[in-house]
Amino acid sequence: MLSSWLPKLDCCRWTGVKCDNITGRVTQLNLPCHTTQPEVVAYQEKDDKSHCLTGEFSLTLLELEFLSYLDFSNNDFKSIQYSSMGNHKCDDLSRGNLPHLCGNSTNLHYLDLSHNYDLLVYNLHWVSRLSSLKYLNLGGVRLPKEIDWLQSVTMLPSLLELTLENCQLENIYPFLQYANFTSLQVLNLAGNDFVSELPSWLFNLSCDISHIDLSQNRINSQLPERFPNFRSIQTLFLSDNYLKGPIPNWLGQLEELKELDLSHNSFSGPIPEGLGNLSSLINLILESNELKGNLPDNLGHLFNLETLAVSKNSLTGIVSERNLRSLTNLKSFSMGSPSLVYDFDPEWVPPFQLVSISLGYVRDKLPAWLFTQSSLTDLKILDSTASFEPLDKFWNFATQLEYFVLVNSTINGDISNVLLSSKLVWLDSNNLRGGMPRISPEVRVLRIYNNSLSGSISPLLCDSMKNKSNLVHLDMGYNHLTGELTDCWNDWKSLVHIDLGYNNLTGKIPHSMGSLSNLRFLYLESNKFFGEVPFSLNNCKNLWILDLGHNNLSGVIPNWLGQSVRGLKLRSNQFSGNIPTQLCQLGSLMVMDFASNRLSGPIPNCLHNFTAMLFSNASTYKVGFTVQSPDFSVSIACGIRMFIKGKELNRVYLMNDIDLSNNNLSGSVPLEIYMLTGLQSLNLSHNQLMGTIPQEIGNLKQLEAIDLSRNQFSGEIPVSLSALHYLSVLNLSFNNLMGKIPSGTQLGSTDLSYIGNSDLCGPPLTKICPQDEKSHNITKPVREEDDDDDKSEVYSWFYMGMGIGFAVGFWGVFGTILLNRRCRLVYFRFLHRVCDFVIRKMISIY
């Protein structure tokens, strides 16, 4: 980027440098790094910034006297350093030193350091010195310990735009009443870590703010009932939070509002009628809330509206052409609630041409006007029982689409002769039947998951467009496919994701799958494959997830896997031999599931090289990828089915998990396994492991489940187990453990965790430990208080026995006496004398 910055060349001719035409002084430094986005990007992968600026960003640049514009966005800076000449107290702001003595930079108007994702800055005090700043963008910069950010930026009297998006901020100052923004127009605080109420200062701004974005946080509160100072606001984004309560009526008074996004919250109650008064509104997005009631009729009067999204709520009533007939500019429409009824005139032709539509819970028939939308490129139909007849008309209409999503419908058709040509085809849970459909070269994502497709996959792989495919994602899981995986994979080198799990496929895994150099995710679980894992898969260097569980595969565990592997699931096969030590080179491995095989020998003592298992951020580690091009973009999460806590879970967030259960492993558990401090689940049950459980197990602070049952472990249970606060599943049954069970809420939940260890004692087992039994039987000296207690106890039993005896005797005799009047009289006289004697005796005892 700095190849033109030659000492002998006038600096005003350097790339990214702009000078004043008259004075020749530097006024702009414009050096954003342009990175080329690959067509497929896996989650957690960063852009290639090897050609970008890196190292320390020196704030001495801001001392250039005439500099007004500085853009170093999307570079790779690591820290910020201020090395003002002769002023060492200003050094290294990234370590928290405060530049109180650093001079002002009064001419800088524009500063953009956004998308320097590794740039770590602990404070923003230096920003307050830039008194002329109008535009500040630090989006993506890491400010994890910043607590005074608001104070720093409110000291900028000319600030118009502030972007602190995805900065890991935690404090939004919810109880601060006022923030001294005098000129602010744009405020973007999206994607941070705010966990609080909406701040009071936000609704008391004295400036004419026009744009607020607080989306993708964890803000939990209601919107205020009173009208805030938002007279000039044009865009309000509060999506993806935990906001609740009714949508306030004052939103209908924001006359200049153009975009309102309250989606993915917990708003309840009706949609306010006042929103129909927002004549300037262009985008209204209220989906994924808990809204109830009818769709207000006056929303149909918003003639400027381009997006109306109210799906995934609990709306009721009828939706007809009356609600939409005046929306002449509508481009995107999303609606669907279980109790909402569509009642459109079959002859109605809308005044708009949609680009995108999402309909949920459609009954009877699809709206006839849908087929008049010749500009439609994005169609989603979800949870619908509508008839799709005639099917030919529907499938022909679908050929114009770029995004085609049909989920949980009752289309019930044979698609053997259907041509699918959309870039994204997503057809889940529709009971589609027949053999493989035909696809065009334009298809990038093909998912026909959980249907009733049958027959061979060969027509799709071998009879389609050879060397022309752009297919990235292929998912035919949970169908009834049969036959072998034919050897036609050489023509599908663009594939990144393959899921053929839960079918009836058989045969060997073909060698040609090794030609898929872009493959990241391979799921072949729950079929009938046999033979060894082909060595050709060694060519798949980018493989992240390999799931071959629940087949009949045999041979040894492959030791040639690429170092990118995050998840390796080989459970329920016929693999034999030792666990290869070469696997210890897989530093990125987070899931190792070899359960229910025929493995033998010791557990390798090098598992501590699984460095990904040293960290506790696994619960936020999401796997998947994004397919992107200038005219197409889609993100796909890729889960892995893991057996955790006795249940099979399909997770898109990986857990650090080691499962070697149901094998023939022997020897002791290497201490190195207890160095994996991020491990969350450990299952070594049903083996022949021996030795003691060491105190080092207490190092596994993140452990949620541990199963060591049905082995030959001996010795005492280490006390350090009681310090594992996340532990919810513990099974140590059927070993040779001895001694007292340590106390702790995690360890005393059920005796089933300890049965089969005859020498264990203490709760929750009923067996009392010898030391506890001995102390229980020690005779204590009798004190006067103890004697009184004993007397009280004797008297209590005496009174109880007397009462019971009295009741039995009374009813045994009383029934007979009632039959004779004379006997009744004599009996009651006798009873009176007895009671009088007993009472006097009791008094004398006391």
Side-chain angles (χ1 to χ4, degrees):
M1 289 181 63
L2 303 181
S3 58
S4 66
W5 286 38
L6 302 175
K8 296 182 179 180
L9 189 67
D10 182 1
C11 69
C12 294
R13 299 173 60 185
W14 290 352
T15 300
V17 178
K18 185 175 181 180
C19 299
D20 185 272
N21 292 332
I22 299 176
T23 64
R25 304 297 292 271
V26 174
T27 58
Q28 292 189 17
L29 288 176
N30 188 14
L31 286 169
C33 186
H34 301 288
T35 54
T36 56
Q37 293 284 343
E39 190 175 15
V40 177
V41 179
Y43 293 174
Q44 315 295 336
E45 278 192 329
K46 298 179 180 180
D47 295 343
D48 180 11
K49 293 188 175 183
S50 57
H51 61 290
C52 301
L53 299 176
T54 187
E56 296 177 339
F57 173 72
S58 177
L59 291 181
T60 53
L61 287 172
L62 307 183
E63 293 185 344
L64 293 174
E65 184 178 359
F66 295 93
L67 186 67
S68 63
Y69 183 100
L70 190 148
D71 183 355
F72 279 8
S73 60
N74 202 41
N75 278 284
D76 195 27
F77 291 111
K78 309 298 183 182
S79 62
I80 288 182
Q81 188 140 23
Y82 196 110
S83 299
S84 183
M85 187 178 302
N87 189 357
H88 297 292
K89 294 182 180 180
C90 296
D91 289 353
D92 197 4
L93 296 178
S94 65
R95 297 196 180 101
N97 296 324
L98 308 183
H100 297 302
L101 304 178
C102 303
N104 287 356
S105 179
T106 58
N107 292 313
L108 193 66
H109 295 161
Y110 184 102
L111 176 59
D112 190 347
L113 297 177
S114 63
H115 306 299
N116 282 272
Y117 296 113
D118 292 329
L119 179 56
L120 180 60
V121 180
Y122 285 104
N123 65 71
L124 291 179
H125 295 289
W126 53 273
V127 170
S128 62
R129 318 298 297 181
L130 309 176
S131 56
S132 299
L133 203 61
K134 295 181 179 180
Y135 178 95
L136 176 61
N137 188 348
L138 299 179
V141 173
R142 297 162 59 196
L143 302 169
K145 295 186 178 180
E146 172 57 39
I147 57 173
D148 294 329
W149 66 269
L150 186 59
Q151 179 182 359
S152 298
V153 296
T154 52
M155 296 177 67
L156 303 174
S158 303
L159 190 64
L160 300 175
E161 295 189 26
L162 173 62
T163 298
L164 298 177
E165 181 181 10
N166 294 316
C167 289
Q168 304 179 17
L169 295 172
E170 298 179 0
N171 188 3
I172 199 172
Y173 307 90
F175 305 113
L176 185 67
Q177 292 298 313
Y178 299 97
N180 189 29
F181 287 112
T182 56
S183 305
L184 195 65
Q185 297 178 2
V186 176
L187 176 63
N188 185 352
L189 299 176
N192 281 290
D193 296 325
F194 300 134
V195 185
S196 66
E197 299 179 358
L198 281 167
S200 300
W201 59 263
L202 183 66
F203 302 99
N204 295 323
L205 295 174
S206 59
C207 53
D208 292 329
I209 196 163
S210 61
H211 174 98
I212 294 177
D213 190 348
L214 287 175
S215 59
Q216 298 181 32
N217 281 284
R218 289 177 285 173
I219 299 173
N220 183 5
S221 65
Q222 297 187 22
L223 291 178
E225 296 181 2
R226 64 181 180 83
F227 185 73
N229 185 24
F230 283 174
R231 296 288 184 183
S232 302
I233 196 149
Q234 298 182 19
T235 57
L236 180 58
F237 298 149
L238 299 175
S239 64
D240 293 279
N241 279 286
Y242 300 124
L243 298 172
K244 56 191 176 182
I247 297 177
N249 291 320
W250 54 259
L251 285 170
Q253 302 177 43
L254 305 179
E255 298 178 355
E256 297 185 26
L257 191 64
K258 295 181 179 180
E259 297 184 74
L260 176 62
D261 189 351
L262 304 179
S263 63
H264 298 279
N265 280 287
S266 298
F267 287 111
S268 57
I271 298 176
E273 294 274 350
L275 296 183
N277 301 325
L278 301 176
S279 57
S280 300
L281 200 61
I282 296 176
N283 296 324
L284 176 59
I285 306 175
L286 305 176
E287 62 189 2
S288 297
N289 279 286
E290 301 170 9
L291 300 172
K292 298 180 180 179
N294 297 337
L295 189 71
D297 290 340
N298 59 355
L299 291 183
H301 302 153
L302 301 175
F303 55 88
N304 286 318
L305 201 64
E306 296 181 5
T307 300
L308 175 60
V310 293
S311 63
K312 299 180 181 178
N313 281 286
S314 299
L315 299 177
T316 56
I318 296 175
V319 176
S320 66
E321 60 274 11
R322 181 185 60 188
N323 300 96
L324 306 177
R325 60 191 175 192
S326 298
L327 304 180
T328 56
N329 291 305
L330 196 64
K331 301 296 181 186
S332 178
F333 179 55
S334 173
M335 182 169 291
S337 295
S339 300
L340 202 62
V341 177
Y342 301 95
D343 186 21
F344 291 98
D345 186 333
E347 303 297 325
W348 181 60
V349 177
F352 49 75
Q353 277 292 324
L354 295 175
V355 175
S356 172
I357 184 171
S358 176
L359 296 175
Y361 302 98
V362 183
R363 300 173 184 83
D364 300 328
K365 285 189 175 183
L366 294 176
W369 61 263
L370 178 64
F371 297 95
T372 69
Q373 302 299 295
S374 58
S375 299
L376 195 67
T377 60
D378 184 348
L379 172 64
K380 296 183 182 70
I381 301 177
L382 313 172
D383 302 305
S384 297
T385 58
S387 170
F388 290 80
E389 299 291 343
L391 286 177
D392 289 346
K393 179 180 180 181
F394 177 76
W395 290 118
N396 288 334
F397 177 72
T399 58
Q400 78 179 49
L401 304 171
E402 293 189 7
Y403 297 81
F404 179 28
V405 178
L406 183 63
V407 175
N408 198 23
S409 75
T410 54
I411 190 168
N412 294 333
D414 186 329
I415 61 172
S416 302
N417 296 315
V418 170
L419 175 64
L420 301 173
S421 58
S422 304
K423 293 179 178 177
L424 180 141
V425 179
W426 201 277
L427 306 177
D428 281 9
S429 306
N430 298 295
N431 200 26
L432 295 170
R433 304 188 306 275
M436 291 293 100
R438 295 176 294 128
I439 64 173
S440 72
E442 287 75 26
V443 178
R444 312 295 308 284
V445 174
L446 177 62
R447 177 176 163 114
I448 312 180
Y449 176 87
N450 192 27
N451 284 279
S452 298
L453 300 183
S454 58
S456 173
I457 197 174
S458 297
L460 176 68
L461 296 178
C462 303
D463 299 341
S464 296
M465 333 69 55
K466 291 193 174 184
N467 298 317
K468 297 180 181 178
S469 170
N470 292 304
L471 194 64
V472 171
H473 177 97
L474 173 64
D475 190 342
M476 296 282 184
Y478 281 93
N479 279 282
H480 307 305
L481 301 178
T482 57
E484 297 185 359
L485 280 183
T486 51
D487 219 4
C488 298
W489 295 97
N490 291 317
D491 301 316
W492 301 85
K493 291 185 171 75
S494 56
L495 277 169
V496 171
H497 179 285
I498 298 173
D499 189 345
L500 300 174
Y502 293 87
N503 281 285
N504 293 308
L505 297 168
T506 187
K508 295 184 177 182
I509 300 174
H511 289 276
S512 61
M513 295 196 86
S515 66
L516 305 177
S517 57
N518 292 310
L519 193 63
R520 302 268 186 153
F521 305 91
L522 178 59
Y523 303 88
L524 299 177
E525 79 275 25
S526 296
N527 281 283
K528 299 176 181 178
F529 294 116
F530 57 82
E532 298 184 356
V533 180
F535 179 75
S536 61
L537 288 181
N538 180 46
N539 298 323
C540 303
K541 302 295 185 184
N542 296 315
L543 199 62
W544 276 32
I545 303 291
L546 178 61
D547 189 345
L548 305 178
H550 299 278
N551 282 285
N552 293 310
L553 297 169
S554 58
V556 297
I557 300 288
N559 60 7
W560 34 256
L561 294 168
Q563 296 189 13
S564 298
V565 174
R566 268 75 169 168
L568 181 58
K569 180 180 169 186
L570 304 177
R571 73 180 295 131
S572 299
N573 280 283
Q574 304 295 324
F575 290 109
S576 58
N578 293 353
I579 299 174
T581 57
Q582 291 88 338
L583 292 181
C584 295
Q585 300 174 11
L586 305 180
S588 300
L589 194 66
M590 301 174 70
V591 177
M592 183 173 75
D593 187 351
F594 297 167
S596 300
N597 280 283
R598 298 178 178 178
L599 301 176
S600 59
I603 298 174
N605 60 5
C606 56
L607 297 188
H608 61 287
N609 291 323
F610 295 155
T611 53
M613 296 191 189
L614 298 175
F615 303 101
S616 59
N617 62 344
S619 59
T620 61
Y621 196 95
K622 195 173 183 179
V623 292
F625 62 97
T626 300
V627 186
Q628 54 194 3
S629 61
D631 59 344
F632 177 83
S633 179
V634 61
S635 291
I636 299 174
C638 303
I640 183 169
R641 297 175 185 88
M642 294 186 288
F643 284 79
I644 304 293
K645 303 178 184 179
K647 299 178 181 178
E648 185 179 23
L649 305 175
N650 190 10
R651 297 174 57 95
V652 293
Y653 293 98
L654 293 186
M655 285 184 69
N656 288 325
D657 171 37
I658 294 178
D659 192 341
L660 304 177
S661 60
N662 289 287
N663 282 286
N664 296 310
L665 299 174
S666 58
S668 59
V669 178
L671 287 176
E672 287 79 5
I673 205 169
Y674 303 115
M675 297 170 62
L676 301 175
T677 52
L679 193 63
Q680 295 169 283
S681 178
L682 176 63
N683 191 346
L684 303 178
S685 64
H686 292 80
N687 280 287
Q688 300 175 29
L689 299 169
M690 60 181 64
T692 61
I693 304 174
Q695 291 289 346
E696 284 81 358
I697 198 172
N699 296 333
L700 307 181
K701 301 296 186 183
Q702 303 299 318
L703 207 60
E704 300 178 22
I706 181 169
D707 190 348
L708 304 180
S709 64
R710 296 188 182 273
N711 280 285
Q712 300 173 26
F713 290 111
S714 58
E716 297 186 349
I717 299 174
V719 177
S720 59
L721 263 178
S722 60
L724 303 181
H725 301 299
Y726 294 109
L727 192 65
S728 59
V729 173
L730 172 67
N731 192 350
L732 303 178
S733 62
F734 297 100
N735 280 286
N736 300 315
L737 299 171
M738 60 182 294
K740 184 175 182 179
I741 298 172
S743 60
T745 55
Q746 312 93 306
L747 307 184
S749 56
T750 173
D751 59 351
L752 296 178
S753 298
Y754 305 102
I755 61 172
N757 293 276
S758 58
D759 293 330
L760 277 181
C761 60
L765 299 178
T766 57
K767 181 179 179 181
I768 300 176
C769 295
Q771 61 269 35
D772 295 336
E773 189 174 26
K774 184 177 180 181
S775 62
H776 181 75
N777 293 329
I778 293 177
T779 304
K780 299 179 182 179
V782 178
R783 297 174 299 170
E784 185 176 344
E785 294 85 359
D786 296 334
D787 186 62
D788 292 339
D789 292 339
D790 292 341
K791 287 182 179 180
S792 177
E793 185 176 356
V794 170
Y795 292 151
S796 297
W797 282 104
F798 171 76
Y799 300 148
M800 184 181 300
M802 186 183 72
I804 295 173
F806 174 80
V808 174
F810 177 83
W811 288 109
V813 178
F814 190 64
T816 305
I817 293 175
L818 287 176
L819 300 176
N820 189 301
R821 180 179 179 184
R822 182 180 177 185
C823 290
R824 285 200 302 269
L825 182 61
V826 173
Y827 176 77
F828 283 118
R829 287 175 180 170
F830 171 76
L831 187 63
H832 174 76
R833 292 173 181 172
V834 170
C835 290
D836 182 68
F837 171 80
V838 170
I839 291 172
R840 281 183 290 159
K841 195 68 176 175
M842 289 171 58
I843 293 173
S844 67
I845 292 174
Y846 274 95

